[in-house]
Amino acid sequence: MDPRDLIQHFVEAMTQLMALMRQETDLVRSKNYDQVERIQRHKAKLSQAFETHQTALREDLSAVERLSDEERSELRSLYQAFRETLSENMLALKAAQDAADKMVKMIISGVRKSRGLPEEAMPQKRGKAATQRGYGAYATAGGSGQLMSRTL
């Protein structure tokens, strides 16, 4: 594939995914959850396309090397904006999940009380993910953005 086409496909996938994540974040923040599932299906497809184009770009880093300094700077800025959008999206989704979990626990507690049952401690999650907050809760060893950030 032509190096310019490779870059263009990567940028298009990133831009589309970024726009969809912003839309999803807005829906979650406005508690409009009925539309989130539809968006998440679309997000999964766009994420797959993004990953495919990012992998292709990693395999042909000469495409990035052929860019002018100005183009490389623009790509770096776009990729940084993408990472920030991704972080905001994950934090909004995590906050919604935490709120839902808290609500379920409150309901269970209320039902137990109304039935005269003892309040048993809810089982605690174990492991690193349970103690991580914010973006760190989603981080994995050698995350996919690491290599691309160093390349740009």
Side-chain angles (χ1 to χ4, degrees):
M1 179 181 285
D2 178 19
R4 289 276 178 194
D5 290 340
L6 191 62
I7 299 285
Q8 185 62 35
H9 289 299
F10 175 69
V11 167
E12 286 173 8
M14 185 171 24
T15 303
Q16 289 175 11
L17 184 55
M18 197 167 30
L20 191 66
M21 285 190 296
R22 285 180 178 145
Q23 183 181 7
E24 180 183 43
T25 300
D26 290 344
L27 289 172
V28 168
R29 287 182 177 155
S30 66
K31 296 177 177 60
N32 195 352
Y33 302 116
D34 58 329
Q35 295 181 26
V36 171
E37 185 177 339
R38 176 186 53 82
I39 285 181
Q40 286 183 338
R41 286 191 302 265
H42 191 114
K43 186 171 80 169
K45 290 176 186 176
L46 284 177
S47 295
Q48 180 67 36
F50 172 77
E51 184 65 30
T52 298
H53 295 303
Q54 186 178 36
T55 299
L57 195 56
R58 280 187 198 140
E59 291 172 357
D60 186 6
L61 293 177
S62 67
V64 175
E65 292 168 1
R66 292 179 183 161
L67 295 174
S68 69
D69 288 342
E70 183 179 330
E71 290 170 324
R72 189 180 285 203
S73 178
E74 288 175 12
L75 185 58
R76 190 177 300 117
S77 294
L78 180 62
Y79 193 73
Q80 180 62 35
F82 174 80
R83 298 294 293 174
E84 289 170 9
T85 301
L86 177 63
S87 179
E88 288 175 22
N89 181 257
M90 287 193 287
L91 289 172
L93 291 172
K94 179 69 174 142
Q97 179 184 13
D98 288 348
D101 287 348
K102 185 175 180 179
M103 182 62 68
V104 168
K105 287 176 184 177
M106 288 173 43
I107 291 170
I108 290 171
S109 177
V111 169
R112 285 187 176 280
K113 283 180 184 177
S114 71
R115 293 185 179 173
L117 299 172
E119 288 223 25
E120 296 175 13
M122 296 293 286
Q124 296 292 329
K125 293 181 183 178
R126 295 198 190 332
K128 184 178 180 181
T131 59
Q132 292 289 327
R133 289 284 183 236
Y135 188 73
Y138 298 94
T140 60
S144 66
Q146 305 271 331
L147 177 62
M148 192 56 64
S149 294
R150 287 189 299 259
T151 303
L152 298 177

